């Protein structure tokens, strides 16, 4: 791999320029569907305050620990410090070629690359690096850094970074500030977007031979912050780089407003909450509406020093629920999973735990046109599913499917009987109060939990399952132990989610969540072990769709297949985001469709 990249850097024949596919004019932004919303002369994103004051400090608090600063290696999936490259706190240290606008479904604007030149078929893309882009040590960002990044990710990186080179037929330096990616037949129309979002590393600051080793040495990046202090497992402190090269880039105006960002680690949620009440933590983001109302009963809140606020989002909710490891024989039968899915008593949980403030999760793209709910399958969808007859039940095909609704008593016999009858129909039976599988062995499983809230939800599910003889045990582990078990797929069931977030533009990441190859790749996000040719085909159709109609049809097919596969027992959601924060913080007036963006907040001047 390294020799190939060296050849591409040093031996690019001039005559090859005439053989390139027809390109468009270089653009300031690219979009997955249609055109970017903002014009070339835009000055900032709509959801920021471009004149936000700079200064002060903020402390975020998290539960867990860390012993590594490199987020790109396999070992990083367990204990990498937050903030190095983070969806919540922003890309403090490492940056991609282009920056996402969180008020569009999927559009990217120039960052390390100030423009991109992509052919109409999306078979190649050339990035022009911003000549002002610099690493935090002052060295320029070069095409060699881009080539090195893909070289080291391929050989030493973690999923999904290590697989991206498999989509690239040629990676070449085309000028002092430009680099071109030419894609192979494995690539799809989203591949250029994924390449643009890949973080870039400085070649001169990393040793490829030791790249896959954990490190606590402060790393060099191109981002707005540098690492000022590291206390392993306790805290990491970032200081704003006064010489940050990108402070005047339109995609970065209004971001990165604190002089110092500290991330403190706590052993559990209760300790973190008490730290917030004392003013050590600036923000609390508890997702339980009943618990947070109780927790806000403290003097600083009553004095108005702490603010409680909700933010509306425009994206489908993340699907959270009990996730089964279908690699195990006990969960290999979809009918077994379907029966288990019938036994989560949402109505009781919503009434007794959540004050009736939640809605039942039924679709992986709920509340959007991408959802299968309420939409009968059209001819496009039927054609995609034709090679896989019987994979989707009739009620899921016609959009009328709903999970069972209980009477909220916690012991609705009609739902229990329906689940029991389904298990009985495939050879399960109860003997002396214990559910036995078709081989006569006791049927039960263990649920891993990572918090008291998860343990409480697991307890509700446990009690219902026990009513029909299914023995469920609950094991509570800390965050690091849970992550290690996930990485090795060493679990039977756990409370998980369908991904880090959801969007109106699902794409390449779905391969990592549901694709067959990811099911076998250690450290992937396909925790359920989904390995279904029909799911693979739906994702492939989604990635290759050229029209909006074809795209929507493919996503709805994927939704129908995931619902039908019963890989998870979805629980509940609330589309509103909630935060409590100390009143020395301010945020922009507009909330983008992806919800609040902490990197755009600022501290009130004294």
């Amino acid at each position: 791999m390294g020799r190939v990249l060296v050849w591409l850097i040093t031996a690019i024949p001039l005559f090859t320029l005439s053989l390139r596919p027809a390109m468009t004019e270089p653009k300031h932004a690219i979009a997955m569907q249609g055109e970017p919303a903002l014009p070339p002369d835009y000055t900032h994103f709509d959801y920021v305050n471009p004149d936000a004051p700079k200064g002060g400090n903020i402390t975020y608090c998290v539960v867990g620990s860390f012993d590594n600063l490199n987020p790109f290696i396999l070992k990083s999936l367990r204990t990498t410090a937050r903030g190095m490259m983070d969806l919540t706190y922003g890309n403090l240290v490492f940056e991609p070629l282009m920056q996402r606008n969180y008020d569009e479904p999927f559009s990217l604007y120039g960052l390390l690359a100030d423009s991109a030149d992509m052919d109409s078929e999306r078979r190649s893309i050339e990035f022009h690096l911003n000549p002002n882009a610099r690493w935090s040590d002052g060295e320029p960002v070069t095409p060699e850094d881009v080539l090195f990044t893909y070289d080291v990710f391929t050989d030493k990186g973690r999923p999904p970074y290590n697989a991206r080179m498999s989509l690239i037929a040629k990676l070449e330096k085309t000028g002092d500030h430009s680099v071109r990616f030419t894609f192979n037949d494995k690539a799809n129309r989203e591949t250029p977007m994924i390449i643009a979002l890949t973080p870039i590393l400085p070649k001169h600051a990393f040793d490829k031979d030791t790249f896959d080793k954990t490190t606590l040495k402060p790393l060099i990046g191109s981002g707005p912050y540098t690492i000022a202090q590291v206390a392993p497992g306790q805290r990491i402190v970032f200081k704003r780089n006064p010489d940050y090269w990108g402070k005047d880039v339109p995609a970065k105006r209004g971001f990165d407003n604190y002089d110092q960002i500290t991330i403190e680690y706590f052993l559990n949620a209760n300790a973190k909450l008490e730290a917030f009440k004392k003013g050590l933590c600036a923000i609390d983001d508890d997702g339980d509406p009943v618990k947070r109302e109780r927790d806000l009963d403290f003097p600083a809140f009553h004095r108005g020093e702490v603010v409680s606020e909700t933010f509306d989002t425009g994206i489908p909710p993340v699907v959270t629920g009990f996730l089964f490891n279908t690699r195990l024989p006990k969960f290999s039968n979809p009918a077994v999973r379907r029966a288990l899915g019938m036994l989560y008593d949402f109505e009781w949980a919503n009434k007794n735990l959540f004050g009736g403030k939640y809605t039942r999760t039924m679709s992986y793209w709920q509340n959007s046109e991408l959802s299968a709910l309420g939409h009968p399958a059209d001819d496009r969808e039927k054609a995609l599913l034709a090679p896989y007859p019987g994979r989707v039940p009739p009620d899921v095909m016609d959009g009328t499917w709903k999970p069972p609704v209980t009477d909220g008593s916690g012991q609705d016999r009609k739902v229990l009987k329906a689940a029991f009858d389904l298990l009985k129909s495939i050879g399960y039976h109860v003997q002396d109060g214990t559910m036995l599988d078709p081989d006569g062995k006791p049927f039960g499983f263990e649920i891993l939990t990572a918090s008291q809230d998860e343990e409480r939800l697991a307890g509700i599910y446990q009690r219902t399952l026990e009513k029909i003889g299914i023995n469920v045990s609950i094991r509570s582990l800390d965050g690091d132990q849970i992550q290690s078990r996930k990485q090795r797929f060493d679990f039977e069931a756990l409370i998980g989610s369908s991904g880090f977030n959801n969007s109106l533009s699902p794409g390449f990441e779905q391969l990592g969540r549901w694709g067959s190859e990811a099911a076998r790749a250690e450290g992937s996000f396909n925790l359920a072990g989904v390995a279904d040719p029909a799911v693979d085909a739906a994702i492939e159709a989604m990635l290759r769709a050229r029209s909006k109609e074809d795209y929507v049809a493919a996503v709805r097919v994927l939704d129908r297949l995931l619902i039908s596969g019963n890989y998870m027992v979805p629980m509940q959601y609330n589309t509103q985001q909630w935060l409590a924060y100390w009143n020395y913080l301010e945020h922009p007036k507009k909330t983008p469709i992806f919800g609040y963006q902490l990197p755009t907040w600022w501290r009130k001047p004294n």
Side-chain angles (χ1 to χ4, degrees), residues 66 68-71 80-85 92-94 136 206 215-221 223-231 235-241 259-261 263:
F66 74 94
N68 174 46
L69 300 184
N70 185 346
T80 295
R82 299 287 300 272
M84 301 298 294
M85 195 192 69
L92 303 184
V93 176
F94 297 105
S136 59
F206 282 90
T215 181
L216 290 170
K217 177 183 177 182
L219 301 178
I220 292 172
Y225 289 85
T226 58
I227 302 167
Q229 179 188 343
V230 179
R235 103 181 35 83
I236 183 168
V237 180
F238 302 90
K239 284 197 174 181
R240 186 148 54 88
N241 182 1
D259 286 340
Q260 179 174 295
I261 296 175
I263 301 179

Side-chain angles (χ1 to χ4, degrees), residues 351-586:
K351 179 176 66 176
N352 292 279
L353 298 183
F354 305 121
K357 296 181 180 181
Y358 275 73
T359 301
R360 182 69 191 265
T361 305
M362 298 183 287
S363 162
Y364 288 80
W365 285 275
Q366 201 147 333
N367 303 328
S368 79
E369 66 176 341
L370 304 177
S371 174
L373 299 181
H375 296 110
D378 62 17
D379 290 341
R380 289 182 176 86
E381 295 181 60
K382 292 176 181 177
L384 288 174
L385 287 167
Y388 311 99
R391 191 73 103 252
V392 177
D395 57 347
V396 180
M397 281 294 287
D398 64 23
T400 63
W401 175 85
K402 292 182 180 180
V405 177
T406 73
D407 59 13
S409 67
Q411 47 188 357
D412 191 326
R413 296 184 63 84
K414 70 177 186 300
V415 175
L416 292 170
K417 184 178 185 303
F420 176 80
D421 288 345
L422 177 55
L423 289 171
K424 185 178 179 181
S425 71
I426 54 175
Y428 287 72
H429 65 282
V430 173
Q431 180 176 313
D432 298 328
T434 298
M435 180 69 70
L436 303 180
D437 67 17
D439 295 325
K441 298 177 182 178
F443 177 66
F445 55 92
E446 177 186 76
I447 302 174
L448 300 184
T449 62
S451 68
Q452 290 181 342
D453 290 340
E454 288 190 0
E455 188 172 352
R456 182 172 54 171
L457 288 166
I460 295 170
Y461 195 37
Q462 177 190 49
R463 288 193 294 274
T464 304
L465 291 169
E466 287 177 343
K467 294 181 188 300
I468 61 170
I470 299 175
N471 180 35
V472 173
S473 60
I474 300 171
R475 177 176 296 187
S476 297
L477 302 175
D478 64 34
D480 296 340
Q481 292 173 313
I482 285 280
Q483 190 58 53
S484 178
R485 297 279 289 268
K486 287 180 179 178
Q487 183 176 322
R488 305 191 311 270
F489 308 130
D490 181 17
F491 65 91
E492 294 186 325
L494 50 77
I495 296 180
S497 70
S498 60
F500 291 117
N501 53 38
N502 225 337
S503 78
L504 295 170
S505 182
F508 189 79
E509 78 287 346
Q510 301 301 314
L511 287 171
R513 298 177 187 180
W514 310 113
S516 296
E517 287 190 18
R520 299 183 291 271
E522 181 177 315
S524 83
F525 298 120
N526 187 349
L527 297 177
V530 179
D532 182 354
V535 169
D536 295 338
I539 297 174
E540 181 69 15
M542 175 186 68
L543 294 175
R544 294 193 179 278
R546 286 179 170 272
S547 69
K548 181 178 180 181
E549 293 78 11
D550 287 343
Y551 179 76
V552 171
V555 180
R556 285 183 184 170
V557 166
L558 178 58
D559 196 30
R560 296 185 204 278
L561 288 166
L562 294 178
I563 292 170
S564 305
N566 295 279
Y567 304 105
M568 296 178 65
V569 182
M571 293 191 290
Q572 57 274 325
Y573 73 90
N574 185 330
T575 56
Q576 286 189 318
Q577 296 175 323
W578 175 88
L579 283 181
Y581 57 91
W582 285 81
N583 65 5
Y584 54 75
L585 295 179
E586 288 190 318

